[in-house]
Amino acid sequence: MAGNSFGVLFRITTWGESHGKAVGVTIDGCPAGIGLDEEDIQKELNRRRPGLFPGASPRREADKVEILSGIFEGKTTGTPLALVVANVDIDSGPYEEIREVFRPGQGDFTYHRKYGIRDHRGGGRASARETLSRVAAGAVAGKILAPLGIEIIGFSRAIGDVEIPEEALEQLSTERVGANYLSCPHEETAKKMEEALARAREAGDTLGGVVEIRVRGCPPGLGEPVFDKIDADFAGALMGIGSVKGVEVGSGFAASRLRGSQANDQMSAQGFISNHAGGILAGITNGEEIVLRVACKPIPSIARPQRTRDTGGREVDLTLGGRHDVCALPRIVPVCEAMVKLVLADHLLRQRALAWQ
Amino acid sequence: MAGNSFGVLFRITTWGESHGKAVGVTIDGCPAGIGLDEEDIQKELNRRRPGLFPGASPRREADKVEILSGIFEGKTTGTPLALVVANVDIDSGPYEEIREVFRPGQGDFTYHRKYGIRDHRGGGRASARETLSRVAAGAVAGKILAPLGIEIIGFSRAIGDVEIPEEALEQLSTERVGANYLSCPHEETAKKMEEALARAREAGDTLGGVVEIRVRGCPPGLGEPVFDKIDADFAGALMGIGSVKGVEVGSGFAASRLRGSQANDQMSAQGFISNHAGGILAGITNGEEIVLRVACKPIPSIARPQRTRDTGGREVDLTLGGRHDVCALPRIVPVCEAMVKLVLADHLLRQRALAWQ
Amino acid sequence: MAGNSFGVLFRITTWGESHGKAVGVTIDGCPAGIGLDEEDIQKELNRRRPGLFPGASPRREADKVEILSGIFEGKTTGTPLALVVANVDIDSGPYEEIREVFRPGQGDFTYHRKYGIRDHRGGGRASARETLSRVAAGAVAGKILAPLGIEIIGFSRAIGDVEIPEEALEQLSTERVGANYLSCPHEETAKKMEEALARAREAGDTLGGVVEIRVRGCPPGLGEPVFDKIDADFAGALMGIGSVKGVEVGSGFAASRLRGSQANDQMSAQGFISNHAGGILAGITNGEEIVLRVACKPIPSIARPQRTRDTGGREVDLTLGGRHDVCALPRIVPVCEAMVKLVLADHLLRQRALAWQ
Amino acid sequence: MAGNSFGVLFRITTWGESHGKAVGVTIDGCPAGIGLDEEDIQKELNRRRPGLFPGASPRREADKVEILSGIFEGKTTGTPLALVVANVDIDSGPYEEIREVFRPGQGDFTYHRKYGIRDHRGGGRASARETLSRVAAGAVAGKILAPLGIEIIGFSRAIGDVEIPEEALEQLSTERVGANYLSCPHEETAKKMEEALARAREAGDTLGGVVEIRVRGCPPGLGEPVFDKIDADFAGALMGIGSVKGVEVGSGFAASRLRGSQANDQMSAQGFISNHAGGILAGITNGEEIVLRVACKPIPSIARPQRTRDTGGREVDLTLGGRHDVCALPRIVPVCEAMVKLVLADHLLRQRALAWQ
């Protein structure tokens, strides 16, 4: 077990490199009897496909998923699901220049130091392509959540320093998020984000941002203190996505500047009066909307020369060829959603096993 | 397994309630042959003791740790270590008023909903007293890290809105952190923090803050992508501490507002030129200083009336009796350090098992 | 995690050495709301106590269990249960002679080679005293099984070459097993066993035997193919008990000599016509009686001189002092039962989590 | 996690049904830098192929393995290995008759009761075809063991009641095992086995037998008491293979009839004088040859009418069509070897992580 499995009861194991033969995921612990077909998964994969973005990464994969096991006559059988997506559009040629050179901000240096061997082609295992497996597995997890009325909405909360104002989120819905390619549910902000992106692109530079994920309809009682608290699991799941450098729940870092009388969510007979906690108290869901925010650093592959080292320790000036995305945020949104779904499905099963009666 | 174990190879299991007979931890996977005695653990426990703070919680526990197994003639034997701290100063009387009432901002409501039964005395399992077990286990983990030259320094980066300026951290050392009861390594800031605390206390209110943890001397190569990345494990470990609402690594949320050309840490022949990454690239340590920040909400137990509910669904106005801390930060610092040590010890062992040769 | 935890959802972690301060177990994953007190556990511990046997080991421990956490007003709270039994009657003096000498048939040599350090006093962690923790945890697991009508009956099937004939087991019951100190439910065989034991004792020698465990009332559907089949888990659990050298299910080794037409359990409308399978098909319970048999080697501590080595590699003639049991079987019976209960409780919870609906 | 993963550090997850699209396995935790190609795996798969046996199962699969990830320029990279074998020769037609009928001795009934849905085609997940994944993973584990001089030899010790006499095993070697299609290293016994098989075939019946596995060159110190003892892990691993009903180590069940003075392996300065323990003491390898025996029931698919039930509870007389193997033993041998290799590789890594220095 070298870190490629996630979850306790709804447990996935992912595999695959950017320029290997395929990427995939095995899901062990999916309950039997759930209706599932490839289209259920495909539509989620399509949301994270490269090339949907003006000026985006030119790789054009069909990203066609195939279910190799665990299904019989349209339903899960309780046996492991194996999902595979072939790598079709592979041209490793452009990566030859980084075979012995460490790209700044990427995993090149650390993979080299850790394993002593590195598949440099397309970033190998550290490529964003790995997240295909997560999104595919998340789609299956979603089939457990949806019938319970649990809805997950992820969106671009900020790109660079352009952020959706809090009050503009009152009308948040999946439809509004899907209205533009930036996954930004506020049109006015989306326009400013586009302008910021245009400026960065002109400068040969890239932008990061903040993804926000909200979960509606989650029942109270999910989470297993003291180490598998659901906020701890969300934090671990989200921080483990490439480029993520911060995670917060509810009021998050802002809560550290509030007083107790402000931060506490008081209750009336009708329920909680506020939601600074972001739906989680003492690591257990309280039935309120779950609110998570994820800070993403800018894409490290920029069109400007950078100083770095090669495997022999020599200093090198590196200018990456090829076209690259200016901002990964819209493609990170479905990955964040997938991880949130995986955490929720796992905790639902765990709670079911131990539920007090 | 209901969430009370942590770690893969250096694995701890904690137990105990605030007003039960004792709290404790079992450590399975501590290598044999490590010199260890109770004093090694005791000195860490003393750092998180209540009552060190002017006006602090009046509970006066000796918090005396006892090692019940796993040691022979002053060395670990490779068998499990059982550490126990008796609960001595227990007076559950003052908690009788919350037997059927949910305190705002605490786990009372969610424990009730999850388990259907709740040990209300002193907060039961959700009490901060549970962290004794973490600190004790962290002290043992520290015995693995210290001989390798790995140093962990945690401190109060901010209390309320009073924050140590970045430049004041150049002289950071354990000695400076220990120079005052606030664990603030910058005297000027410490004074302002005291003033802020005094104002909050007068208002019957409480403050939160930001804990920062730095790890020096960590070798490159620790972390197991793609799910057990070391930043993911740090995030999960830290978010699982009571009152934590956010975690960031390196530049963290600020990185989301940088451009790629700013956020990338370029390299010279001597090594990394900057450290926006906070010592972690693609989930693996890169040999630079590890920088982690943790947002803590204010203590929820305030001296002001609050509206809440009881177990029967009735609205209640609750004013908590007793004296309470105004700010938990200095006591959260050693808990954060302990979790960081546990993650590091676990990943060191994991890396040792799989190291390329 | 160095092997001292057992179970996935109902998960125990044991600790303690023979001559340390105490032995104990933490149980994580026990559902909330189960009535439990120390007496429930104590009565199981009493069944494995030393000194119940004529001429048995002279150690006289009260073996008094204490529950330190996880209970509130007589019920489990869903938080970890910590159970501790103090080691009271400790005299390590007689063990001084084996500080540097490896007793044949014991773990002395392998612990020395594995860990490089060994607590020789009373066998340290490898002592049978460790099984106290298992029996205590098994008693808690039993509280989950009993209300479901699941009954576990273990007994001495054979001691040395004296075996209960199959037909004598038709009247098997807990009462019959408890009728003599050998845990042999057939009086006629019990007498022959006593004679065999007397002969062995006179010769300064020891006997092994076969423990059989039957489970009645187990529902169909427990077991998680393809690796956590319930028979695989039973086999692992039972083989891990000290002195066990073989495990079989249903017809076991005899099944290897049957033809398919004999070994298959055919079905009528009323159910299975025979039970060669021992209640398990393809790793999943089928609702029939579960039948397990466990081969135990004789106690290695004999009253005769033996040739062995010391830690310096020198050949030594060793004659162990002190009085020892002639046969451990009656005390292994409750340990086997405990492991079977732990496997069943764990699989019940796992099946509950994933049950098809 | 529903039971389809095995191992702690060298951890495999298998998937696939007999008549699905493919079967496969993911290996997480294989160290980086190990030379590996498909041929290494293929040669092990070929040993368990159907149709090698006169009168054997007519399914003719190429069983061609493909490595989809984790390899770069002929070496493992430390990332997960995904191995896949397509199911090519699928004709589910003959299985239509058992869609609603439970074959005696198979998993049909228990899968139906457990999951409420069953892929009846070819036995679905309960098919022996699942063991392809184990053998493939075992081949990779073998690449870790071989350079350390660890040799695993499995063979047919008995078929039906024809058993190789102990003394005939002195010349045991891989070459002798491979000399006939029965994997029987003693020619004289092999002839008697063939005769027994011929008689069973004529009677439309099947035979079981005993597989023995020996491990030579294993270093002392492997095994993690008290629950992950290496004998416990062997027992669980082997009992989890389809058709296995018993496992024993060293003298096994015979040890239960020995006296202590006989069963103890005394030591001289040169090492152990005997090996009743089968190379394992207190759950840890002692450096001697490891000896394991596995009892396999006869193949349940016989050419004779049998009484059984259908899913509606109705009694049915079932005569299975098609040709079937008379004895699975030669094909179970490489599966047993694979499981033994997986246990050893896992424990080697675990020992490496925690080794005393």
Side-chain angles (χ1 to χ4, degrees), chain A residues 114, chain B residues 9 31 34 144 148 222 224 346-357, chain D residues 9 349 351-357:
Chain A
K114 181 176 186 67
Chain B
L9 286 183
I34 295 174
I144 295 175
L148 302 173
L222 305 191
E224 303 289 336
D346 192 36
H347 277 279
L348 271 165
L349 297 183
R350 292 176 76 172
Q351 174 65 359
R352 194 199 283 187
L354 300 174
W356 179 84
Q357 305 183 45
Chain D
L9 287 183
L349 297 183
Q351 174 65 359
R352 196 199 282 186
L354 299 175
W356 179 84
Q357 303 180 46

Side-chain angles (χ1 to χ4, degrees), chain C residues 183-335:
Chain C
S183 296
C184 172
H186 186 234
E187 276 311 310
E188 206 178 308
T189 305
K191 286 205 189 74
K192 291 183 195 159
M193 288 172 170
E194 281 198 57
E195 292 161 15
L197 288 166
R199 285 191 300 273
R201 191 180 302 120
E202 271 167 50
D205 222 326
T206 55
L207 293 184
V210 175
V211 172
E212 184 163 320
I213 308 101
R214 304 212 175 180
V215 182
R216 294 170 172 174
C218 182
L222 305 191
E224 302 288 337
V226 297
F227 295 114
D228 299 351
K229 292 176 173 178
I230 202 161
D231 42 2
D233 277 6
F234 283 135
L238 294 168
M239 191 70 93
I241 299 171
S243 91
V244 174
K245 300 303 284 182
V247 179
E248 57 182 16
V249 181
S251 294
F253 275 84
S256 73
R257 294 182 292 271
L258 296 177
R259 289 190 165 191
S261 60
Q262 300 167 309
N264 283 349
D265 298 314
Q266 300 189 34
M267 296 183 89
S268 72
Q270 282 70 47
F272 289 94
I273 295 166
S274 56
N275 189 21
H276 291 287
I280 302 170
L281 269 172
I284 302 169
T285 56
N286 66 6
E288 296 294 300
E289 188 177 49
I290 298 173
V291 181
L292 304 163
R293 265 179 309 278
V294 176
C296 304
K297 69 174 186 181
I299 291 176
S301 292
I302 58 174
R304 297 166 149 217
Q306 298 182 91
R307 179 152 299 182
T308 188
R309 279 175 51 192
D310 67 14
T311 54
R314 283 172 297 271
E315 225 165 289
V316 176
D317 276 310
L318 175 70
T319 306
L320 292 165
R323 291 196 308 176
H324 295 276
D325 281 348
V326 178
C327 180
L329 229 64
R331 297 179 61 200
I332 296 175
V333 168
V335 182

Side-chain angles (χ1 to χ4, degrees), chain B residues 16-23 59 61 86-90 92 95 119-130:
Chain B
E17 283 84 32
S18 182
H19 288 206
K21 292 187 180 173
V23 298
R59 183 165 176 173
E61 296 275 7
N87 290 336
V88 178
D89 175 22
I90 301 176
S92 302
Y95 289 93
D119 182 348
H120 66 282
R121 302 165 306 159
R125 180 76 176 144
S127 162
R129 190 158 178 80
E130 167 263 318

